[in-house]
Amino acid sequence: TAEVLNFLPTGIHYTGLESSEFALQEARRRWSVGTGANFVSGDAASLPFSEASFNVILMFFSLEHLKRPREALYECVRVLRSGGILIVVSPNLEFPLARPNALRHRSGWFRIWFALLRFWDYANRFLGRYSFRTIGKNFTEVTGRYEKKDDDLRYAVSSWEVIRFLERKGMRLDVFWEERPLAGWRRWIRFLPTMRWYGVTLAAAFIKGR
């Protein structure tokens, strides 16, 4: 419901995209008066905007909830102006053995199978192939409950995958924020191929090439 507007500068033109009609109406109720904010119903994988429409796009803990993350990232590049900035903040499930809470309603055998798929995805990264591995039905969709962080996650986010994909599409990684340096064995994992951004939240800013 666009709480991010509490933290953005005044005097900007803000457009929020939302697929939930309830959230859309609530955002309009809270922010449409005096802010100049505009809220649009739509799908991130098929943005209802023309090319080069925006100077900045903010994906703040939204990428992990998308059923088609690859298409959504491509759409972000399409609607950004040359020199525009894309900021992505998302949980990072880089490590193949990461166990998303969104799968905790599934059997142990299924979670083992999912881990094997993640190792396959990891191996394919060596060849520059990115799977954008998604979860079919997450815990929240199946049970109607949200009890733990990322119960409603759909995409098992890989920072490496997201960053490399965007670079292929003409985006340049400008900043990768880390709250604190990694220590111990977690730091050494980063020496493994395709694990450069392991262990911290994906929090990065990209600039679209001119």
Side-chain angles (χ1 to χ4, degrees):
T1 54
E3 286 87 353
V4 70
L5 283 168
N6 286 311
F7 306 97
L8 296 181
T10 58
I12 64 170
H13 177 73
Y14 176 89
T15 298
L17 183 83
E18 177 57 58
S19 60
S20 162
E21 187 61 29
F22 170 80
L24 208 62
Q25 294 303 324
E26 183 66 13
R28 287 169 178 159
R29 182 186 68 80
R30 295 181 60 185
W31 300 106
S32 289
V33 177
T35 63
N38 179 40
F39 300 98
V40 177
S41 176
D43 181 357
S46 181
L47 293 176
F49 310 115
S50 58
E51 292 186 14
S53 299
F54 296 95
N55 293 317
V56 178
I57 295 177
L58 174 61
M59 300 187 76
F60 189 72
F61 290 109
S62 56
L63 181 62
E64 68 273 20
H65 300 295
L66 302 180
K67 293 180 179 179
R68 295 190 289 163
R70 185 198 312 262
E71 290 84 351
L73 289 171
Y74 177 79
E75 282 288 274
C76 287
V77 177
R78 181 183 67 82
V79 302
L80 263 181
R81 295 188 176 109
S82 179
I85 298 171
L86 169 63
I87 299 173
V88 181
V89 182
S90 171
N92 175 24
L93 302 177
E94 194 87 75
F95 198 55
L97 289 176
R99 298 179 61 182
N101 285 329
L103 285 177
R104 61 196 182 91
H105 63 294
R106 301 301 299 262
S107 69
W109 287 112
F110 181 88
R111 280 176 280 176
I112 292 172
W113 170 244
F114 190 79
L116 292 174
L117 290 175
R118 298 296 313 284
F119 274 105
W120 175 252
D121 297 339
Y122 174 71
N124 273 306
R125 287 182 214 158
F126 289 95
L127 304 175
R129 298 172 184 165
Y130 308 129
S131 65
F132 286 89
R133 179 70 58 188
T134 56
I135 291 168
K137 289 282 188 178
N138 59 43
F139 178 85
T140 298
E141 289 175 304
V142 171
T143 67
R145 304 195 306 271
Y146 183 90
E147 299 169 345
K148 294 185 178 182
K149 180 181 178 182
D150 295 330
D151 272 351
D152 56 350
L153 178 141
R154 289 194 179 101
Y155 166 41
V157 181
S158 159
S159 291
W160 177 279
E161 181 174 69
V162 170
I163 291 170
R164 292 296 186 236
F165 176 80
L166 287 171
E167 288 176 337
R168 284 184 173 186
K169 299 303 177 183
M171 303 293 291
R172 174 175 61 84
L173 178 62
D174 186 54
V175 181
F176 189 96
W177 293 281
E178 293 192 45
E179 187 176 0
R180 62 181 63 88
L182 292 181
W185 63 268
R186 293 165 64 86
R187 178 164 58 96
W188 294 106
I189 286 181
R190 288 195 171 183
F191 288 97
L192 294 173
T194 80
M195 285 290 187
R196 179 177 173 185
W197 295 284
Y198 166 78
V200 294
T201 298
L202 168 57
F206 305 83
I207 298 177
K208 185 174 181 178
R210 296 185 183 274

